[in-house]
Amino acid sequence: MPRTAVPDAIHDIIGAALAPLPPHRRDTFTLRVERWWPDLHEAVTALYAEPDAVARILVERAAHAFADRPDELHRLDERRLLEPDWFQQPTMFGYACYVDRFGGTLSGLADRLDHLTDLGVTYLHLMPLLTPRPGDNDGGYAVMDYRTVREDLGTVDDLRALATTLRERGISPVIDLVLNHVAREHEWAELAQQGDAVRRDYFHIHPDRSTPDAYERTLPEVFPDFAPGNFTWDDGVDGWVWTTFNEWQWDLNWANPAVLVEFVDIVAALANLGIEVVRLDAIAFLWKRLGTNCQNQPEVHAITQILRATARMASPALLFKAEAIVGPRDLLPYLGTGSHTGRVSDIAYHNSLMVQVWSMLASGSTELARHALSTLPPTPPGGTWVTYVRCHDDIGWAIDDGDAAAMGLSGAGHRHFLADWYSGEFPQSWAEGLVFQHNPDTGDRRISGTAAALSGLGAERRDPDGAFARLFLAHALVAVWGGIPVVWSGDEIGSPGDPDWAAEPGHEDDNRWVHRPRVTDADRARRHEQGSDAQRVFDGIAHIARVRSDLPMLHAEAPVDVLGDLDDGVLGVRRRHPSGTLVALFNVSDTHRPVAVSVLGRSGIVAPREVLTGVGSVDDDTVWLPPYAAWWVVDG
């Protein structure tokens, strides 16, 4: 099928917008538009009644962003285009933190980067730092101004300087872009409250309860404890405003193309500061359709395709990461399937892997994880996972009922068991998590807690040696799976959590702050104290990152297979690559478990050598993996 030709009117727009630039710059942008115009126009046509007009505006905005892009970032674009798989390399290793809780300010964080480079970090996710509403702001996800930075962190110039420093150190900066909603205090919302009809149409506002009630019949509640329902009455607009998350977070109306244009400009501005990855927050919720749960609608992927196409025109070094914490079957489309393959987000969170890691450690069994993980389709070409043991959020036990039933389990029963285990309520549990958002109607309970606390390396220290082994196993598993492994701040030094989390104003009703501890200079120094928990955990994770960086078979495009012919307590993960094969073995139980070496031979490993823990060559016909052992085995 022939590609859609770029209309003459678009070339005229390019010529006018880029007239001051030298010919080679104009040629570069023109070639990019010719490449990405079909993606842009197709997606715009799927969403809006006047696609040609919308597409013309978007190309013009992209052209101006390209013209404003600094020379060093144009150079970065060329470098990334020459190595399109740069983010899939095994050298990629991530860290995520709140700026204030790690470095105090943006400039303070820049002064503390040795800690991260020593860990092996090449990808740094800075949690929400764009100006939020005052007071409670959902951890920064209620944005009041996308064009400025929180005053206590610094300025936009400080963010630009930090991005430059990170780039010089080989670290890609990542920040959050909240797409689904803005704070009630955002200029758009304030203008809507003042009677601005244009801005009012940026939101979903209804004069009475008839339409909200119709939607509510099929809508779940995200925060049933402190934000029940999905609509809030607002006197300022004299109507019911759609508020999925909190009453002061107003959902945006993405059916209005003006909202899309606003965000194309915002994305371009962030890219021109030197941001290399934007995390598309709450992306699953963007499109509203009556009679559905208003998540994962097909229009969401068309929106992402538009944002990506315009970014590829103006700043192709920029990547998109989909924050879609959805069921396994709904996850792959965020990396691109069907007509959207290779045209939407570059990266997505592998929430299912995190859940299955904790599920295996609690149960001592791999049966459910093998089934759930092996039935996931492979990532599309060019797509990459972010894998993680913990993140800033709570853990919701996303165990698919169908997966559980296939293994003879009750999905609800297993979720209940995991909540009991990781809250420490189950007999023999070593975990010290906190229950978050208990839903009495469904019985669902989510869990807060650092990786150390959930592994048993907490205040009670019921099983310290086992806790260290479980931590190492979890990080080794997410590092070998495929994609970009990311360590959550504090987990690299085995932080048990913040015991005073509720004392900070605005945090008292949200126990997720227990696993968002401040990492001070004193905390960072402890990782040098020989024999300390911090030193042991830090050195273990840094070792995983170093070993990983030298293994080409851990390139993200190398296929991932889950081995089936192993003891129930052992998970086997195989990565095949032209350079060779790697088989990772994980004993998720507290007893020794056997592995027949012939399993390795059937994977093409004839002279097995373990490279992660120092076991070395494997010569016996059967090896017994120690409790919570994590082995990476290669040939020769």
Side-chain angles (χ1 to χ4, degrees):
M1 183 175 178
R3 297 178 65 84
T4 306
V6 179
D8 291 341
I10 297 298
H11 284 291
D12 293 341
I13 288 171
I14 296 170
L18 302 186
L21 298 187
H24 75 280
R25 284 271 195 260
R26 296 198 300 270
D27 288 346
T28 292
F29 186 78
T30 300
L31 288 170
R32 291 181 190 167
V33 171
E34 290 174 352
R35 167 63 182 87
W36 297 108
W37 170 260
D39 286 15
L40 174 64
H41 192 265
E42 174 190 291
V44 170
T45 301
L47 295 179
Y48 303 116
E50 298 181 7
D52 292 343
V54 175
R56 283 196 296 271
I57 294 171
L58 296 177
V59 172
E60 184 175 23
R61 299 300 177 91
H64 286 297
F66 176 86
D68 292 340
R69 193 156 171 79
D71 286 343
E72 62 268 26
L73 295 180
H74 280 300
R75 184 174 178 82
L76 178 66
D77 291 332
E78 297 304 318
R79 184 180 301 118
R80 297 305 193 214
L81 289 170
L82 289 171
E83 189 183 12
D85 64 343
W86 65 272
F87 62 100
Q88 298 177 299
Q89 297 292 333
T91 52
M92 294 301 292
F93 197 81
Y95 188 85
C97 67
Y98 286 97
V99 172
D100 57 324
R101 303 179 88 80
F102 182 85
T105 63
L106 290 163
S107 59
L109 189 147
D111 294 336
R112 291 164 174 81
L113 292 178
D114 287 348
H115 181 80
L116 302 183
T117 53
D118 289 349
L119 189 64
V121 171
T122 56
Y123 168 108
L124 178 59
H125 177 190
L126 304 174
M127 296 297 289
L129 50 77
L130 303 179
T131 303
R133 72 188 296 270
D136 192 1
N137 52 49
D138 191 23
Y141 289 102
V143 178
M144 190 172 74
D145 187 352
Y146 291 94
R147 304 287 184 163
T148 61
V149 171
R150 277 173 44 187
E151 287 186 0
D152 60 316
L153 301 183
T155 66
V156 169
D157 287 338
D158 292 330
L159 179 57
R160 182 184 292 106
L162 175 60
T164 300
T165 300
L166 290 171
R167 188 164 62 252
E168 291 169 349
R169 282 189 174 236
I171 300 174
S172 295
V174 185
I175 71 168
D176 289 87
L177 179 62
V178 184
L179 296 178
N180 180 68
H181 47 263
V182 298
R184 186 181 184 274
E185 294 77 9
H186 191 285
E187 180 188 23
W188 303 336
E190 290 188 338
L191 288 171
Q193 294 168 64
Q194 295 165 17
D196 185 326
V198 172
R199 296 315 193 285
R200 184 184 179 94
D201 197 36
Y202 278 29
F203 304 97
H204 301 272
I205 301 173
H206 304 281
D208 55 47
R209 284 292 312 186
S210 58
T211 299
D213 286 345
Y215 275 103
E216 289 280 21
R217 295 188 186 103
T218 55
L219 289 177
E221 295 176 317
V222 176
F223 295 132
D225 281 3
F226 51 73
N230 291 272
F231 295 86
T232 300
W233 175 264
D234 188 89
D235 288 334
V237 295
D238 192 29
W240 290 92
V241 182
W242 198 312
T243 54
T244 296
F245 292 89
N246 286 286
E247 63 180 19
W248 29 261
Q249 287 169 298
W250 288 17
D251 285 34
L252 290 161
N253 176 18
W254 282 86
N256 180 354
V259 172
L260 173 69
V261 173
E262 295 275 14
F263 275 91
V264 165
D265 284 346
I266 292 167
V267 168
L270 295 174
N272 282 355
L273 290 176
I275 302 305
E276 296 184 32
V277 183
V278 287
R279 175 184 179 273
L280 305 177
D281 180 71
I283 189 173
F285 297 84
L286 299 190
W287 201 266
K288 318 302 187 184
R289 176 169 282 112
L290 190 64
T292 73
N293 65 359
C294 294
Q295 296 181 41
N296 310 311
Q297 299 302 303
E299 290 83 357
V300 168
H301 308 301
I303 291 169
T304 312
Q305 183 169 314
I306 294 168
L307 294 174
R308 186 180 189 271
T310 53
R312 289 301 186 273
M313 294 173 186
S315 50
L318 183 72
L319 300 182
F320 289 101
K321 175 169 64 171
E323 190 264 339
I325 308 305
V326 298
R329 305 301 177 264
D330 293 319
L331 185 57
L332 262 296
Y334 288 89
L335 285 175
T337 56
S339 64
H340 296 296
T341 298
R343 305 162 90 180
V344 286
S345 293
D346 307 278
I347 310 169
Y349 285 92
H350 202 327
N351 182 64
S352 296
L353 180 63
M354 176 193 68
V355 169
Q356 294 298 340
V357 168
W358 293 113
S359 174
M360 288 187 288
L361 290 173
S363 65
S365 168
T366 66
E367 186 178 42
L368 176 61
R370 285 187 201 177
H371 174 79
L373 296 174
S374 64
T375 55
L376 283 178
T379 56
T384 297
W385 296 119
V386 162
T387 59
Y388 52 104
V389 173
R390 285 290 298 118
C391 69
H392 75 287
D393 226 337
D394 56 278
I395 300 179
W397 301 113
I399 301 296
D400 183 80
D401 286 339
D403 289 335
M407 297 297 103
L409 299 172
S410 159
H414 193 62
R415 291 190 291 272
H416 187 89
F417 159 71
L418 293 174
D420 279 351
W421 185 275
Y422 285 105
S423 63
E425 297 175 19
F426 197 91
Q428 291 83 49
S429 170
W430 22 254
E432 296 179 337
L434 302 177
V435 172
F436 178 74
Q437 292 291 313
H438 178 209
N439 187 329
D441 294 333
T442 64
D444 286 343
R445 288 165 294 160
R446 287 132 69 177
I447 295 293
S448 299
T450 65
L454 299 185
S455 299
L457 194 66
E460 295 294 328
R461 299 181 65 85
R462 301 174 195 173
D463 178 22
D465 289 335
F468 281 115
R470 286 188 287 270
L471 271 176
F472 189 81
L473 180 152
H475 285 289
L477 204 167
V478 300
V480 84
W481 184 264
I484 305 172
V486 175
V487 177
W488 174 247
S489 185
D491 283 349
E492 83 283 8
I493 53 173
S495 172
D498 182 358
D500 301 318
W501 62 269
E504 196 163 336
H507 294 179
E508 56 274 5
D509 295 325
D510 187 347
N511 66 25
R512 290 176 297 179
W513 289 101
V514 73
H515 58 248
R516 302 167 181 172
R518 296 183 186 277
V519 178
T520 65
D521 288 340
D523 293 325
R524 283 183 282 271
R526 274 194 283 275
R527 58 104 171 177
H528 295 292
E529 296 175 6
Q530 194 63 33
S532 69
D533 289 356
Q535 178 266 328
R536 189 173 176 183
V537 174
F538 187 95
D539 288 355
I541 296 175
H543 174 72
I544 290 170
R546 282 193 302 273
V547 175
R548 182 181 192 276
S549 68
D550 288 331
L551 295 172
M553 58 281 291
L554 297 187
H555 188 287
E557 286 201 345
V560 181
D561 299 315
V562 177
L563 302 182
D565 48 354
L566 291 168
D567 181 275
D568 179 52
V570 178
L571 181 73
V573 176
R574 179 173 58 204
R575 303 293 306 280
R576 295 183 184 272
H577 187 266
S579 67
T581 297
L582 180 148
V583 171
L585 300 169
F586 303 97
N587 179 0
V588 302
S589 77
D590 59 1
T591 61
H592 282 73
R593 293 299 178 100
V595 174
V597 175
S598 59
V599 170
L600 304 174
R602 289 196 292 274
S603 293
I605 299 177
V606 296
R609 179 170 58 90
E610 201 282 322
V611 295
L612 183 62
T613 64
V615 170
S617 60
V618 180
D619 300 322
D620 298 332
D621 293 337
T622 300
V623 295
W624 287 83
L625 292 182
Y628 304 117
W631 287 13
W632 292 357
V633 183
V634 299
D635 198 14

